[in-house]
C-alpha cells in the first residue's frame, strides 16, 4: 500500500482491476495529478488507492500504461501493485472497478460494500441523474462526499445497472489500444473526481 504519512485523509477511493499495473494504476495516478491541480494543498482530503483481483504484487506500472499516463501529463512515480483484500474495500468510502466482473469479486469479499461499489463507467453514467448542482448536504467535506455516494446508489436503484460499462483489459494489446483504454478511464474518472472536488471547495453557510 502507498502510504504518504500524516493524518488520515477524509475520503478514500479504491480503484480495482485485475493486475493493478494498467487500468486501476492509471486511474489512481491520473486522479492524484488531477486533484493536485484542482485542490492544491487540499488534495490530501481525497485519498486514491488501487488494487488488483490477481495483482502482479510489487510490480511497477506497465511501460505502455506509463507512456499513456505521461501523455496525459501525469507520472507513475513509485507506483507498486498490490493485491485486493477485504480491508481495503472495508476502509474505502467509494470503490470503482474497471469491469462488472471486478465488481463481483469486490462484493464477494465485502458484500456490505454494495452501496459504495460501482464500475467506474457506471458511476459516471449515474452522475447526470443527480443534476448539475454540486451542493449536497453535510457540515464538512467527508459528509458531503458520502452523501454523493449515497445519491449514486439511490440513482442506480432507480435507473438500474449499466450493461456496457466495462473498461477492457489492454494487456498484450498494441500501445494504440492502451491509449484508447486510457481515454476511456479519463472520461470515466475525471467527472467523478470533479464532482468531489466541487464538494471539497463548497462553502457551507
Amino acid at each position: 500500500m502507498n502510504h504518504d504519512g500524516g493524518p488520515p485523509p477524509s475520503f478514500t477511493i479504491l480503484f480495482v482491476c485485475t493486475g493493478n499495473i494498467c487500468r486501476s494504476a492509471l486511474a489512481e495516478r491520473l486522479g492524484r495529478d488531477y486533484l493536485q491541480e484542482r485542490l492544491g494543498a487540499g488534495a490530501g482530503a481525497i485519498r486514491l488507492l488501487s488494487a488488483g483481483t490477481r495483482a502482479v504484487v510489487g510490480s511497477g506500472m506497465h511501460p505502455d500504461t506509463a507512456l499513456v499516463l505521461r501523455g496525459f501529463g501525469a507520472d507513475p512515480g513509485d507506483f507498486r501493485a498490490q493485491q485486493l483484500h477485504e480491508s481495503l474495500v472495508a476502509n474505502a468510502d467509494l470503490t470503482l472497478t474497471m469491469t462488472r466482473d471486478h465488481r463481483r469479486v469486490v462484493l464477494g469479499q465485502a458484500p456490505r460494500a454494495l452501496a459504495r461499489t460501482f464500475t467506474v463507467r457506471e458511476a459516471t453514467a449515474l452522475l447526470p441523474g443527480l443534476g448539475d448542482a454540486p451542493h449536497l448536504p453535510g457540515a464538512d467535506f467527508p459528509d458531503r462526499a458520502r452523501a454523493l455516494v449515497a445519491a449514486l446508489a439511490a440513482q442506480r436503484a432507480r435507473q438500474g445497472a449499466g450493461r456496457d460499462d466495462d473498461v477492457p483489459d489492454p494487456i498484450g494489446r498494441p500501445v494504440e489500444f492502451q491509449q484508447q483504454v486510457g481515454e476511456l478511464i479519463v472520461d470515466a474518472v475525471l467527472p467523478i473526481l470533479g464532482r468531489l472536488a466541487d464538494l471539497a471547495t463548497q462553502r457551507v453557510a
Side-chain angles (χ1 to χ4, degrees):
M1 190 181 303
N2 298 313
H3 296 285
D4 53 7
S10 301
F11 187 84
T12 298
I13 301 175
L14 174 65
F15 295 105
V16 177
C17 72
T18 304
N20 192 212
I21 58 173
C22 293
R23 292 167 288 179
S24 60
L26 187 145
E28 177 197 321
R29 292 304 166 113
L30 176 81
R32 288 189 185 189
D33 186 77
Y34 172 80
L35 291 173
Q36 187 63 43
E37 288 186 8
R38 277 291 309 270
L39 300 176
I46 304 172
R47 184 185 193 190
L48 302 184
L49 299 173
S50 63
T53 58
R54 297 195 302 275
V56 189
V57 175
S59 294
M61 189 178 293
H62 189 285
D64 287 348
T65 300
L67 180 65
V68 170
L69 179 64
R70 291 188 179 99
F72 292 128
D75 192 272
D78 60 351
F79 180 85
R80 289 293 179 267
Q82 66 174 336
Q83 178 65 31
L84 178 73
H85 52 83
E86 183 180 354
S87 65
L88 281 173
V89 180
N91 291 323
D93 297 289
L94 173 62
T95 297
L96 297 172
T97 71
M98 294 296 142
T99 70
R100 289 162 289 172
D101 282 343
H102 296 137
R103 185 178 60 197
R104 281 191 284 270
V105 172
V106 167
L107 295 177
Q109 292 191 9
R112 293 182 180 180
L114 174 62
R116 46 192 170 85
T117 302
F118 306 80
T119 71
V120 64
R121 294 180 70 191
E122 173 189 29
T124 296
L126 292 169
L127 279 176
L130 307 186
D132 296 329
H135 294 271
L136 282 167
D140 55 19
F141 168 67
D143 284 346
R144 295 191 295 272
R146 291 175 188 122
L148 176 64
V149 175
L152 287 172
Q155 181 64 19
R156 178 170 60 187
R158 291 188 293 268
Q159 184 174 315
R163 295 186 177 182
D164 186 24
D165 55 12
D166 288 354
V167 176
D169 191 347
I171 284 289
R173 306 293 295 274
V175 69
E176 292 81 7
F177 190 80
Q178 291 264 6
Q179 179 68 32
Q180 293 171 11
V181 168
E183 290 168 359
L184 279 178
I185 292 170
V186 169
D187 290 344
V189 169
L190 296 194
I192 299 167
L193 295 184
R195 184 65 70 96
L196 286 165
D198 290 341
L199 294 176
T201 56
Q202 175 183 323
R203 292 185 178 181
V204 180

mmCIF file of all heavy atoms in Angstrom, residues 11-57:
data_model
loop_
_atom_site.group_PDB
_atom_site.id
_atom_site.type_symbol
_atom_site.label_atom_id
_atom_site.label_comp_id
_atom_site.label_asym_id
_atom_site.label_seq_id
_atom_site.Cartn_x
_atom_site.Cartn_y
_atom_site.Cartn_z
ATOM 1 N N PHE A 11 -11.556 11.113 2.797
ATOM 2 C CA PHE A 11 -12.382 10.301 1.918
ATOM 3 C C PHE A 11 -11.463 9.453 1.053
ATOM 4 O O PHE A 11 -10.536 9.975 0.432
ATOM 5 C CB PHE A 11 -13.241 11.224 1.050
ATOM 6 C CG PHE A 11 -14.265 10.519 0.214
ATOM 7 C CD1 PHE A 11 -15.500 10.176 0.735
ATOM 8 C CD2 PHE A 11 -13.996 10.215 -1.116
ATOM 9 C CE1 PHE A 11 -16.455 9.529 -0.047
ATOM 10 C CE2 PHE A 11 -14.944 9.572 -1.905
ATOM 11 C CZ PHE A 11 -16.172 9.234 -1.364
ATOM 12 N N THR A 12 -11.717 8.145 1.002
ATOM 13 C CA THR A 12 -10.837 7.223 0.278
ATOM 14 C C THR A 12 -11.568 6.583 -0.888
ATOM 15 O O THR A 12 -12.670 6.057 -0.730
ATOM 16 C CB THR A 12 -10.314 6.120 1.220
ATOM 17 O OG1 THR A 12 -9.546 6.720 2.256
ATOM 18 C CG2 THR A 12 -9.438 5.135 0.463
ATOM 19 N N ILE A 13 -10.919 6.611 -2.071
ATOM 20 C CA ILE A 13 -11.426 5.954 -3.269
ATOM 21 C C ILE A 13 -10.470 4.819 -3.621
ATOM 22 O O ILE A 13 -9.257 5.018 -3.665
ATOM 23 C CB ILE A 13 -11.534 6.922 -4.446
ATOM 24 C CG1 ILE A 13 -12.466 8.085 -4.111
ATOM 25 C CG2 ILE A 13 -12.035 6.189 -5.704
ATOM 26 C CD1 ILE A 13 -12.516 9.148 -5.191
ATOM 27 N N LEU A 14 -11.025 3.645 -3.881
ATOM 28 C CA LEU A 14 -10.250 2.475 -4.282
ATOM 29 C C LEU A 14 -10.605 2.105 -5.716
ATOM 30 O O LEU A 14 -11.777 1.867 -6.025
ATOM 31 C CB LEU A 14 -10.558 1.306 -3.349
ATOM 32 C CG LEU A 14 -9.944 -0.045 -3.702
ATOM 33 C CD1 LEU A 14 -8.420 -0.007 -3.601
ATOM 34 C CD2 LEU A 14 -10.526 -1.152 -2.816
ATOM 35 N N PHE A 15 -9.608 2.072 -6.603
ATOM 36 C CA PHE A 15 -9.784 1.608 -7.972
ATOM 37 C C PHE A 15 -9.340 0.150 -8.056
ATOM 38 O O PHE A 15 -8.296 -0.216 -7.504
ATOM 39 C CB PHE A 15 -8.951 2.445 -8.947
ATOM 40 C CG PHE A 15 -9.362 3.889 -9.039
ATOM 41 C CD1 PHE A 15 -8.603 4.879 -8.434
ATOM 42 C CD2 PHE A 15 -10.505 4.256 -9.732
ATOM 43 C CE1 PHE A 15 -8.976 6.211 -8.518
ATOM 44 C CE2 PHE A 15 -10.892 5.594 -9.825
ATOM 45 C CZ PHE A 15 -10.126 6.567 -9.215
ATOM 46 N N VAL A 16 -10.096 -0.663 -8.791
ATOM 47 C CA VAL A 16 -9.795 -2.091 -8.854
ATOM 48 C C VAL A 16 -9.793 -2.567 -10.308
ATOM 49 O O VAL A 16 -10.725 -2.270 -11.072
ATOM 50 C CB VAL A 16 -10.829 -2.918 -8.058
ATOM 51 C CG1 VAL A 16 -10.545 -4.416 -8.188
ATOM 52 C CG2 VAL A 16 -10.818 -2.516 -6.587
ATOM 53 N N CYS A 17 -8.736 -3.313 -10.675
ATOM 54 C CA CYS A 17 -8.717 -4.045 -11.943
ATOM 55 C C CYS A 17 -8.137 -5.428 -11.668
ATOM 56 O O CYS A 17 -8.237 -5.925 -10.546
ATOM 57 C CB CYS A 17 -7.977 -3.274 -13.038
ATOM 58 S SG CYS A 17 -6.185 -3.190 -12.850
ATOM 59 N N THR A 18 -7.519 -6.042 -12.664
ATOM 60 C CA THR A 18 -7.010 -7.410 -12.476
ATOM 61 C C THR A 18 -5.591 -7.408 -11.913
ATOM 62 O O THR A 18 -5.353 -7.847 -10.793
ATOM 63 C CB THR A 18 -7.062 -8.188 -13.800
ATOM 64 O OG1 THR A 18 -8.398 -8.178 -14.307
ATOM 65 C CG2 THR A 18 -6.621 -9.635 -13.587
ATOM 66 N N GLY A 19 -4.637 -6.919 -12.691
ATOM 67 C CA GLY A 19 -3.240 -6.988 -12.283
ATOM 68 C C GLY A 19 -2.735 -5.801 -11.502
ATOM 69 O O GLY A 19 -1.646 -5.843 -10.935
ATOM 70 N N ASN A 20 -3.507 -4.689 -11.493
ATOM 71 C CA ASN A 20 -3.112 -3.442 -10.828
ATOM 72 C C ASN A 20 -1.803 -2.885 -11.387
ATOM 73 O O ASN A 20 -1.008 -2.289 -10.668
ATOM 74 C CB ASN A 20 -3.002 -3.652 -9.315
ATOM 75 C CG ASN A 20 -2.880 -2.342 -8.526
ATOM 76 O OD1 ASN A 20 -2.233 -2.308 -7.478
ATOM 77 N ND2 ASN A 20 -3.459 -1.263 -9.014
ATOM 78 N N ILE A 21 -1.606 -3.088 -12.692
ATOM 79 C CA ILE A 21 -0.441 -2.466 -13.337
ATOM 80 C C ILE A 21 -0.839 -1.645 -14.557
ATOM 81 O O ILE A 21 0.004 -0.949 -15.123
ATOM 82 C CB ILE A 21 0.622 -3.513 -13.749
ATOM 83 C CG1 ILE A 21 0.041 -4.553 -14.697
ATOM 84 C CG2 ILE A 21 1.236 -4.162 -12.521
ATOM 85 C CD1 ILE A 21 1.085 -5.508 -15.275
ATOM 86 N N CYS A 22 -2.120 -1.710 -14.945
ATOM 87 C CA CYS A 22 -2.572 -0.946 -16.116
ATOM 88 C C CYS A 22 -3.745 -0.035 -15.732
ATOM 89 O O CYS A 22 -3.546 1.113 -15.360
ATOM 90 C CB CYS A 22 -2.964 -1.866 -17.263
ATOM 91 S SG CYS A 22 -1.576 -2.776 -17.989
ATOM 92 N N ARG A 23 -4.959 -0.562 -15.789
ATOM 93 C CA ARG A 23 -6.143 0.288 -15.681
ATOM 94 C C ARG A 23 -6.291 0.995 -14.346
ATOM 95 O O ARG A 23 -6.421 2.229 -14.287
ATOM 96 C CB ARG A 23 -7.395 -0.552 -15.981
ATOM 97 C CG ARG A 23 -7.501 -1.005 -17.415
ATOM 98 C CD ARG A 23 -8.564 -2.073 -17.616
ATOM 99 N NE ARG A 23 -8.142 -3.352 -17.042
ATOM 100 C CZ ARG A 23 -8.875 -4.450 -17.057
ATOM 101 N NH1 ARG A 23 -10.097 -4.414 -17.575
ATOM 102 N NH2 ARG A 23 -8.414 -5.586 -16.545
ATOM 103 N N SER A 24 -6.311 0.231 -13.261
ATOM 104 C CA SER A 24 -6.506 0.870 -11.950
ATOM 105 C C SER A 24 -5.297 1.698 -11.558
ATOM 106 O O SER A 24 -5.424 2.731 -10.885
ATOM 107 C CB SER A 24 -6.812 -0.179 -10.874
ATOM 108 O OG SER A 24 -5.752 -1.112 -10.739
ATOM 109 N N ALA A 25 -4.110 1.274 -11.995
ATOM 110 C CA ALA A 25 -2.902 2.054 -11.711
ATOM 111 C C ALA A 25 -2.964 3.410 -12.398
ATOM 112 O O ALA A 25 -2.657 4.454 -11.803
ATOM 113 C CB ALA A 25 -1.670 1.278 -12.182
ATOM 114 N N LEU A 26 -3.380 3.406 -13.671
ATOM 115 C CA LEU A 26 -3.505 4.668 -14.401
ATOM 116 C C LEU A 26 -4.553 5.565 -13.757
ATOM 117 O O LEU A 26 -4.342 6.773 -13.594
ATOM 118 C CB LEU A 26 -3.852 4.389 -15.862
ATOM 119 C CG LEU A 26 -3.858 5.609 -16.795
ATOM 120 C CD1 LEU A 26 -3.360 5.229 -18.184
ATOM 121 C CD2 LEU A 26 -5.238 6.238 -16.903
ATOM 122 N N ALA A 27 -5.684 4.982 -13.370
ATOM 123 C CA ALA A 27 -6.742 5.771 -12.743
ATOM 124 C C ALA A 27 -6.253 6.439 -11.464
ATOM 125 O O ALA A 27 -6.530 7.618 -11.211
ATOM 126 C CB ALA A 27 -7.948 4.880 -12.446
ATOM 127 N N GLU A 28 -5.525 5.679 -10.655
ATOM 128 C CA GLU A 28 -5.016 6.233 -9.390
ATOM 129 C C GLU A 28 -4.074 7.403 -9.628
ATOM 130 O O GLU A 28 -4.242 8.488 -9.052
ATOM 131 C CB GLU A 28 -4.295 5.148 -8.599
ATOM 132 C CG GLU A 28 -3.665 5.658 -7.313
ATOM 133 C CD GLU A 28 -2.631 4.725 -6.736
ATOM 134 O OE1 GLU A 28 -2.836 3.491 -6.777
ATOM 135 O OE2 GLU A 28 -1.598 5.228 -6.233
ATOM 136 N N ARG A 29 -3.070 7.204 -10.470
ATOM 137 C CA ARG A 29 -2.061 8.247 -10.651
ATOM 138 C C ARG A 29 -2.592 9.429 -11.462
ATOM 139 O O ARG A 29 -2.237 10.584 -11.200
ATOM 140 C CB ARG A 29 -0.801 7.650 -11.279
ATOM 141 C CG ARG A 29 -0.073 6.691 -10.316
ATOM 142 C CD ARG A 29 0.266 7.413 -9.011
ATOM 143 N NE ARG A 29 0.650 6.514 -7.952
ATOM 144 C CZ ARG A 29 1.885 6.455 -7.429
ATOM 145 N NH1 ARG A 29 2.854 7.210 -7.907
ATOM 146 N NH2 ARG A 29 2.138 5.630 -6.435
ATOM 147 N N LEU A 30 -3.446 9.169 -12.439
ATOM 148 C CA LEU A 30 -4.102 10.253 -13.163
ATOM 149 C C LEU A 30 -4.959 11.073 -12.210
ATOM 150 O O LEU A 30 -4.942 12.309 -12.231
ATOM 151 C CB LEU A 30 -4.972 9.672 -14.280
ATOM 152 C CG LEU A 30 -5.799 10.676 -15.066
ATOM 153 C CD1 LEU A 30 -4.941 11.339 -16.128
ATOM 154 C CD2 LEU A 30 -7.005 10.010 -15.704
ATOM 155 N N GLY A 31 -5.707 10.383 -11.357
ATOM 156 C CA GLY A 31 -6.572 11.072 -10.405
ATOM 157 C C GLY A 31 -5.800 11.910 -9.416
ATOM 158 O O GLY A 31 -6.208 13.029 -9.077
ATOM 159 N N ARG A 32 -4.677 11.389 -8.935
ATOM 160 C CA ARG A 32 -3.864 12.167 -7.992
ATOM 161 C C ARG A 32 -3.392 13.467 -8.626
ATOM 162 O O ARG A 32 -3.420 14.536 -8.004
ATOM 163 C CB ARG A 32 -2.656 11.341 -7.541
ATOM 164 C CG ARG A 32 -2.981 10.210 -6.601
ATOM 165 C CD ARG A 32 -1.695 9.599 -6.057
ATOM 166 N NE ARG A 32 -1.950 8.432 -5.235
ATOM 167 C CZ ARG A 32 -1.022 7.836 -4.510
ATOM 168 N NH1 ARG A 32 0.221 8.291 -4.528
ATOM 169 N NH2 ARG A 32 -1.320 6.768 -3.778
ATOM 170 N N ASP A 33 -2.948 13.366 -9.882
ATOM 171 C CA ASP A 33 -2.469 14.563 -10.581
ATOM 172 C C ASP A 33 -3.599 15.572 -10.764
ATOM 173 O O ASP A 33 -3.425 16.773 -10.554
ATOM 174 C CB ASP A 33 -1.879 14.156 -11.933
ATOM 175 C CG ASP A 33 -1.234 15.316 -12.658
ATOM 176 O OD1 ASP A 33 -0.104 15.704 -12.286
ATOM 177 O OD2 ASP A 33 -1.855 15.856 -13.603
ATOM 178 N N TYR A 34 -4.770 15.076 -11.146
ATOM 179 C CA TYR A 34 -5.927 15.956 -11.351
ATOM 180 C C TYR A 34 -6.316 16.666 -10.052
ATOM 181 O O TYR A 34 -6.569 17.880 -10.040
ATOM 182 C CB TYR A 34 -7.100 15.133 -11.868
ATOM 183 C CG TYR A 34 -8.400 15.902 -11.944
ATOM 184 C CD1 TYR A 34 -8.660 16.763 -12.996
ATOM 185 C CD2 TYR A 34 -9.361 15.757 -10.945
ATOM 186 C CE1 TYR A 34 -9.855 17.466 -13.061
ATOM 187 C CE2 TYR A 34 -10.555 16.459 -10.999
ATOM 188 C CZ TYR A 34 -10.797 17.314 -12.060
ATOM 189 O OH TYR A 34 -11.969 18.009 -12.106
ATOM 190 N N LEU A 35 -6.383 15.923 -8.957
ATOM 191 C CA LEU A 35 -6.770 16.520 -7.681
ATOM 192 C C LEU A 35 -5.744 17.545 -7.210
ATOM 193 O O LEU A 35 -6.100 18.568 -6.610
ATOM 194 C CB LEU A 35 -6.964 15.436 -6.628
ATOM 195 C CG LEU A 35 -8.175 14.527 -6.831
ATOM 196 C CD1 LEU A 35 -8.166 13.392 -5.822
ATOM 197 C CD2 LEU A 35 -9.476 15.321 -6.738
ATOM 198 N N GLN A 36 -4.467 17.279 -7.474
ATOM 199 C CA GLN A 36 -3.436 18.248 -7.107
ATOM 200 C C GLN A 36 -3.644 19.556 -7.855
ATOM 201 O O GLN A 36 -3.514 20.645 -7.291
ATOM 202 C CB GLN A 36 -2.051 17.670 -7.416
ATOM 203 C CG GLN A 36 -0.899 18.522 -6.908
ATOM 204 C CD GLN A 36 -0.875 18.653 -5.393
ATOM 205 O OE1 GLN A 36 -1.083 17.672 -4.684
ATOM 206 N NE2 GLN A 36 -0.641 19.851 -4.887
ATOM 207 N N GLU A 37 -3.994 19.437 -9.138
ATOM 208 C CA GLU A 37 -4.253 20.642 -9.924
ATOM 209 C C GLU A 37 -5.496 21.384 -9.439
ATOM 210 O O GLU A 37 -5.507 22.612 -9.372
ATOM 211 C CB GLU A 37 -4.422 20.285 -11.403
ATOM 212 C CG GLU A 37 -3.120 19.887 -12.098
ATOM 213 C CD GLU A 37 -3.311 19.691 -13.583
ATOM 214 O OE1 GLU A 37 -4.412 20.007 -14.102
ATOM 215 O OE2 GLU A 37 -2.372 19.205 -14.236
ATOM 216 N N ARG A 38 -6.554 20.634 -9.119
ATOM 217 C CA ARG A 38 -7.810 21.251 -8.720
ATOM 218 C C ARG A 38 -7.776 21.803 -7.298
ATOM 219 O O ARG A 38 -8.316 22.883 -7.028
ATOM 220 C CB ARG A 38 -8.950 20.220 -8.800
ATOM 221 C CG ARG A 38 -9.563 19.997 -10.149
ATOM 222 C CD ARG A 38 -10.378 21.188 -10.660
ATOM 223 N NE ARG A 38 -11.362 21.691 -9.722
ATOM 224 C CZ ARG A 38 -12.614 21.260 -9.653
ATOM 225 N NH1 ARG A 38 -13.044 20.306 -10.467
ATOM 226 N NH2 ARG A 38 -13.456 21.792 -8.783
ATOM 227 N N LEU A 39 -7.147 21.055 -6.381
ATOM 228 C CA LEU A 39 -7.282 21.377 -4.967
ATOM 229 C C LEU A 39 -5.987 21.837 -4.310
ATOM 230 O O LEU A 39 -6.011 22.310 -3.175
ATOM 231 C CB LEU A 39 -7.827 20.164 -4.214
ATOM 232 C CG LEU A 39 -9.205 19.663 -4.661
ATOM 233 C CD1 LEU A 39 -9.571 18.396 -3.897
ATOM 234 C CD2 LEU A 39 -10.263 20.740 -4.475
ATOM 235 N N GLY A 40 -4.860 21.687 -4.997
ATOM 236 C CA GLY A 40 -3.590 22.111 -4.424
ATOM 237 C C GLY A 40 -3.323 21.417 -3.103
ATOM 238 O O GLY A 40 -3.402 20.188 -2.993
ATOM 239 N N ALA A 41 -3.051 22.206 -2.074
ATOM 240 C CA ALA A 41 -2.741 21.641 -0.762
ATOM 241 C C ALA A 41 -3.907 20.856 -0.177
ATOM 242 O O ALA A 41 -3.710 20.001 0.692
ATOM 243 C CB ALA A 41 -2.337 22.756 0.205
ATOM 244 N N GLY A 42 -5.114 21.119 -0.662
ATOM 245 C CA GLY A 42 -6.287 20.409 -0.158
ATOM 246 C C GLY A 42 -6.508 19.051 -0.785
ATOM 247 O O GLY A 42 -7.454 18.340 -0.417
ATOM 248 N N ALA A 43 -5.645 18.660 -1.734
ATOM 249 C CA ALA A 43 -5.834 17.389 -2.432
ATOM 250 C C ALA A 43 -5.751 16.200 -1.499
ATOM 251 O O ALA A 43 -6.318 15.138 -1.775
ATOM 252 C CB ALA A 43 -4.796 17.239 -3.548
ATOM 253 N N GLY A 44 -5.064 16.345 -0.372
ATOM 254 C CA GLY A 44 -4.943 15.240 0.574
ATOM 255 C C GLY A 44 -6.246 14.846 1.231
ATOM 256 O O GLY A 44 -6.318 13.802 1.883
ATOM 257 N N ALA A 45 -7.291 15.652 1.055
ATOM 258 C CA ALA A 45 -8.600 15.297 1.618
ATOM 259 C C ALA A 45 -9.194 14.079 0.929
ATOM 260 O O ALA A 45 -10.096 13.430 1.473
ATOM 261 C CB ALA A 45 -9.559 16.475 1.503
ATOM 262 N N ILE A 46 -8.705 13.775 -0.273
ATOM 263 C CA ILE A 46 -9.195 12.619 -1.025
ATOM 264 C C ILE A 46 -8.017 11.687 -1.276
ATOM 265 O O ILE A 46 -7.060 12.050 -1.962
ATOM 266 C CB ILE A 46 -9.830 13.045 -2.364
ATOM 267 C CG1 ILE A 46 -10.951 14.057 -2.132
ATOM 268 C CG2 ILE A 46 -10.359 11.814 -3.109
ATOM 269 C CD1 ILE A 46 -11.504 14.663 -3.404
ATOM 270 N N ARG A 47 -8.083 10.504 -0.738
ATOM 271 C CA ARG A 47 -7.002 9.534 -0.903
ATOM 272 C C ARG A 47 -7.371 8.556 -2.007
ATOM 273 O O ARG A 47 -8.468 7.985 -1.995
ATOM 274 C CB ARG A 47 -6.781 8.773 0.405
ATOM 275 C CG ARG A 47 -5.609 7.806 0.357
ATOM 276 C CD ARG A 47 -5.543 7.007 1.634
ATOM 277 N NE ARG A 47 -4.288 6.299 1.776
ATOM 278 C CZ ARG A 47 -4.042 5.386 2.703
ATOM 279 N NH1 ARG A 47 -4.986 5.083 3.586
ATOM 280 N NH2 ARG A 47 -2.880 4.791 2.778
ATOM 281 N N LEU A 48 -6.489 8.365 -2.959
ATOM 282 C CA LEU A 48 -6.709 7.433 -4.050
ATOM 283 C C LEU A 48 -5.782 6.233 -3.897
ATOM 284 O O LEU A 48 -4.569 6.395 -3.754
ATOM 285 C CB LEU A 48 -6.445 8.111 -5.402
ATOM 286 C CG LEU A 48 -7.271 9.359 -5.712
ATOM 287 C CD1 LEU A 48 -6.970 9.837 -7.123
ATOM 288 C CD2 LEU A 48 -8.761 9.099 -5.542
ATOM 289 N N LEU A 49 -6.353 5.038 -3.936
ATOM 290 C CA LEU A 49 -5.619 3.786 -3.879
ATOM 291 C C LEU A 49 -6.069 2.903 -5.032
ATOM 292 O O LEU A 49 -7.115 3.141 -5.641
ATOM 293 C CB LEU A 49 -5.890 3.050 -2.559
ATOM 294 C CG LEU A 49 -5.503 3.747 -1.258
ATOM 295 C CD1 LEU A 49 -6.009 2.928 -0.075
ATOM 296 C CD2 LEU A 49 -4.005 3.936 -1.179
ATOM 297 N N SER A 50 -5.300 1.875 -5.319
ATOM 298 C CA SER A 50 -5.713 0.899 -6.322
ATOM 299 C C SER A 50 -5.207 -0.476 -5.925
ATOM 300 O O SER A 50 -4.255 -0.612 -5.149
ATOM 301 C CB SER A 50 -5.201 1.288 -7.710
ATOM 302 O OG SER A 50 -3.778 1.301 -7.752
ATOM 303 N N ALA A 51 -5.866 -1.497 -6.475
ATOM 304 C CA ALA A 51 -5.501 -2.876 -6.170
ATOM 305 C C ALA A 51 -5.987 -3.773 -7.298
ATOM 306 O O ALA A 51 -6.821 -3.371 -8.116
ATOM 307 C CB ALA A 51 -6.113 -3.316 -4.841
ATOM 308 N N GLY A 52 -5.466 -5.004 -7.324
ATOM 309 C CA GLY A 52 -5.846 -5.955 -8.358
ATOM 310 C C GLY A 52 -6.439 -7.211 -7.782
ATOM 311 O O GLY A 52 -6.018 -7.677 -6.717
ATOM 312 N N THR A 53 -7.407 -7.768 -8.492
ATOM 313 C CA THR A 53 -8.006 -9.034 -8.054
ATOM 314 C C THR A 53 -7.021 -10.187 -8.198
ATOM 315 O O THR A 53 -7.111 -11.178 -7.472
ATOM 316 C CB THR A 53 -9.285 -9.341 -8.853
ATOM 317 O OG1 THR A 53 -8.966 -9.385 -10.251
ATOM 318 C CG2 THR A 53 -10.343 -8.271 -8.608
ATOM 319 N N ARG A 54 -6.085 -10.073 -9.144
ATOM 320 C CA ARG A 54 -4.973 -11.019 -9.287
ATOM 321 C C ARG A 54 -3.718 -10.185 -9.552
ATOM 322 O O ARG A 54 -3.112 -10.265 -10.621
ATOM 323 C CB ARG A 54 -5.232 -12.010 -10.431
ATOM 324 C CG ARG A 54 -6.438 -12.887 -10.211
ATOM 325 C CD ARG A 54 -6.477 -14.089 -11.150
ATOM 326 N NE ARG A 54 -6.473 -13.693 -12.556
ATOM 327 C CZ ARG A 54 -7.560 -13.372 -13.252
ATOM 328 N NH1 ARG A 54 -8.751 -13.363 -12.659
ATOM 329 N NH2 ARG A 54 -7.473 -13.046 -14.525
ATOM 330 N N ALA A 55 -3.349 -9.402 -8.572
ATOM 331 C CA ALA A 55 -2.315 -8.388 -8.755
ATOM 332 C C ALA A 55 -0.935 -8.984 -9.021
ATOM 333 O O ALA A 55 -0.594 -10.052 -8.506
ATOM 334 C CB ALA A 55 -2.244 -7.492 -7.521
ATOM 335 N N VAL A 56 -0.174 -8.263 -9.822
ATOM 336 C CA VAL A 56 1.251 -8.557 -10.012
ATOM 337 C C VAL A 56 1.973 -7.818 -8.883
ATOM 338 O O VAL A 56 2.561 -6.750 -9.080
ATOM 339 C CB VAL A 56 1.732 -8.098 -11.398
ATOM 340 C CG1 VAL A 56 3.147 -8.595 -11.661
ATOM 341 C CG2 VAL A 56 0.788 -8.570 -12.494
ATOM 342 N N VAL A 57 1.887 -8.387 -7.687
ATOM 343 C CA VAL A 57 2.254 -7.676 -6.459
ATOM 344 C C VAL A 57 3.693 -7.168 -6.515
ATOM 345 O O VAL A 57 4.624 -7.909 -6.846
ATOM 346 C CB VAL A 57 2.045 -8.585 -5.225
ATOM 347 C CG1 VAL A 57 2.530 -7.895 -3.960
ATOM 348 C CG2 VAL A 57 0.581 -8.974 -5.107
#
